[in-house]
Amino acid sequence: MAFMYSTDANVSPLDRYMKLNQGRKIQVEYIWIGGNGELRAKTRTLKQAVKSVKEIPAWNYDGSSTDQATGDHSEVVLKPVKIVKDPFRGGENILCLCETYDAFTMKPLPTNHRAPADEIFSAKAVKQEEPWYGIEQEYTLLHMDGKRPLGFPQYGYPAPQGPYYCSVGSNNAFGREVAEAHYRACLYAGIDISGINAEVMPGQWEFQVGPCVGIDSGDQLWLARYMLHRVAEDFGVVVSFEPKPVKGDWNGTGAHTNYSTKSMRADGGYQYIIDAIQKMEKLHTEHMAVYGKGNTERLTGKHETASWETFKYGVADRGASIRIPRQTELDKKGYFEDRRPAANCCPYQVTARIAKTTLLEQVYPVEDTEEAQVKGVDTDSEDNESIKFQTVTVE
């Protein structure tokens, strides 16, 4: 099936205007995350080109229209945090990722997950370990009805999974134009995109961002997601990050997160990897709480996942919660892959939670009452009846 432009999304008339000279002025696309985890954006003109995010002025928007404020207290402040080149307008125009703040209190909105994540990544114990992240962002391309993936017939289903992963040929690879256009847009913008591939289900693709250090992982992934949506507009398709876009015997859509610290990457780092994974096992529930909505439909124990109700890790095991690459085992240093995050997760929450668990918290079994009391855990609390482990933040 040949991939066609939608008549409504045909952008060729726009090209004539995009070639017009805009003088010294530039266009800045302010990008932020709305009240339901969706991306929002609007454009502002600046008098001249900028070289640093510090030169971008703060702005505001109507938070009552994004489920982030009430009508009588509607203003939300946009605080610029990262800029990249704009692959859609070209020239010296830029994309600007922003945090969101209450205009009255100037405190981060509850939906601003970057601010608390930045606090974690700014902690001395985290900074000195230089945490690296590489996120494998899977997504599904849908027809404009927002329901049917590319490669799925109007009625019924395509052939079973098998020929679509890393496929070649128009009978198996659906939407390559979108994936390739997005890849080039990210490279132009300066995103650390490290690759793409077709995934297991028809119409399902993946791009990888990283390695990135600390907060920059979330920044780059959100910008890459924005660019993917914009590219999809041009091709008349819809991008879905739903964890289980098609029910039944079809793979879900995840955001596998690869992680390492300076200690893990050094000689003898394998023990640090095991120690980190064992900490994460004790806080499996806390991690799952921020790993994406609807993720339990994806993490069933089938289709290359471990059940959300259990935790296990293994070498080269794609049916585990956490996979240790074979090369990491052989080298006795390297990284591991957390396979639990869903495609629709907030990367700020995921990366910060991993850093917090592995570098800022020491986990103690409540059963060891004497040690727990020494470490400051309240073993008499009624809350401990249903909690197996408590955590103490390392100063």
Side-chain angles (χ1 to χ4, degrees):
M1 181 180 74
F3 191 88
M4 301 293 292
Y5 286 95
S6 164
T7 302
D8 294 334
N10 192 332
V11 297
S12 57
L14 178 62
D15 293 343
R16 179 187 311 165
Y17 303 99
M18 297 304 290
K19 294 176 182 177
L20 296 176
N21 191 310
Q22 63 188 83
R24 296 183 61 191
K25 295 180 179 179
I26 67 165
Q27 293 168 284
V28 180
E29 189 78 356
Y30 284 66
I31 302 164
W32 71 95
I33 300 157
N36 299 295
E38 79 284 9
L39 283 160
R40 304 270 182 160
K42 63 177 183 174
T43 312
R44 182 175 187 171
T45 302
L46 296 187
K47 293 183 179 180
Q48 59 188 18
V50 298
K51 295 182 179 179
S52 167
V53 70
K54 295 179 181 179
E55 300 177 62
I56 307 296
W59 206 8
N60 65 75
Y61 66 93
D62 172 17
S64 68
S65 296
T66 62
D67 290 334
Q68 292 172 297
T70 57
D72 59 346
H73 184 59
S74 64
E75 282 194 13
V76 175
V77 173
L78 290 170
K79 175 188 174 183
V81 294
K82 185 177 179 66
I83 59 173
V84 297
K85 293 191 295 183
D86 186 340
F88 306 104
R89 295 186 173 112
E92 295 185 294
N93 301 302
I94 57 175
L95 305 180
C96 178
L97 184 67
C98 302
E99 284 190 27
T100 52
Y101 285 79
D102 185 296
F104 180 72
T105 65
M106 285 309 295
K107 292 183 178 180
L109 295 187
T111 51
N112 178 354
H113 300 305
R114 188 187 189 278
D118 198 30
E119 289 184 7
I120 290 173
F121 288 118
S122 297
K124 182 178 178 180
V126 177
K127 290 179 69 174
Q128 66 187 12
E129 280 292 338
E130 295 181 12
W132 290 3
Y133 297 91
I135 300 180
E136 305 167 24
Q137 178 68 72
E138 296 178 339
Y139 60 95
T140 307
L141 295 175
L142 309 175
H143 289 273
M144 286 300 290
D145 62 6
K147 299 177 181 179
R148 182 165 55 96
L150 301 187
F152 275 62
Q154 188 170 0
Y155 303 102
Y157 297 91
Q161 294 184 155
Y164 310 112
Y165 172 70
C166 294
S167 58
V168 176
S170 57
N171 57 329
N172 290 322
F174 306 99
R176 185 182 299 278
E177 293 94 332
V178 177
E180 289 286 353
H182 174 250
Y183 196 169
R184 189 60 61 89
C186 285
L187 289 173
Y188 175 90
I191 298 297
D192 291 319
I193 185 170
S194 51
I196 63 170
N197 60 269
E199 269 299 335
V200 178
M201 189 182 77
Q204 188 182 61
W205 289 80
E206 173 186 297
F207 66 90
Q208 305 93 33
V209 172
C212 301
V213 180
I215 197 70
D216 197 44
S217 177
D219 287 348
Q220 291 206 35
L221 191 67
W222 274 117
L223 285 166
R225 285 176 174 178
Y226 168 83
M227 285 185 271
L228 180 59
H229 282 297
R230 286 289 306 275
V231 168
E233 288 180 19
D234 289 344
F235 288 92
V237 295
V238 176
V239 176
S240 170
F241 294 117
E242 284 298 309
K244 191 71 174 179
V246 181
K247 311 302 180 187
D249 193 19
W250 303 96
N251 271 39
T253 313
H256 302 156
T257 302
N258 299 278
Y259 173 67
S260 72
T261 63
K262 183 184 292 185
S263 297
M264 295 176 191
R265 297 187 293 269
D267 290 343
Y270 196 73
Q271 187 56 54
Y272 290 97
I273 291 172
I274 298 302
D275 290 345
I277 293 173
Q278 290 175 345
K279 288 181 180 180
M280 294 171 72
E281 177 179 13
K282 295 177 175 67
L283 295 178
H284 174 61
T285 300
E286 286 81 353
H287 280 253
M288 285 298 300
V290 297
Y291 274 15
K293 295 180 180 179
N295 203 15
T296 56
E297 294 186 30
R298 166 180 161 264
L299 298 180
T300 62
K302 300 178 180 179
H303 305 113
E304 301 179 282
T305 70
S307 170
W308 66 273
E309 298 177 296
T310 62
F311 182 99
K312 65 175 183 175
Y313 66 93
V315 176
D317 184 359
R318 282 179 164 74
S321 309
I322 290 182
R323 177 183 67 90
I324 300 173
R326 181 69 68 189
Q327 195 62 47
T328 294
E329 182 194 41
L330 293 173
D331 294 341
K332 299 303 178 186
K333 62 181 179 180
Y335 70 97
F336 63 82
E337 174 194 51
D338 190 343
R339 298 180 59 79
R340 296 171 296 172
N344 63 355
C345 71
C346 173
Y348 296 132
Q349 290 184 297
V350 170
T351 56
R353 180 70 258 187
I354 293 173
K356 184 178 181 182
T357 296
T358 60
L359 297 173
L360 290 182
E361 291 184 337
Q362 180 62 54
V363 183
Y364 298 98
V366 172
E367 293 87 344
D368 193 345
T369 304
E370 183 176 350
E371 181 181 25
Q373 289 177 338
V374 170
K375 297 298 182 180
V377 176
D378 182 8
T379 56
D380 294 325
S381 171
E382 294 181 358
D383 293 338
N384 287 339
E385 293 179 1
S386 61
I387 300 176
K388 187 177 180 182
F389 292 90
Q390 293 282 355
T391 60
V392 179
T393 300
V394 178
E395 298 296 336

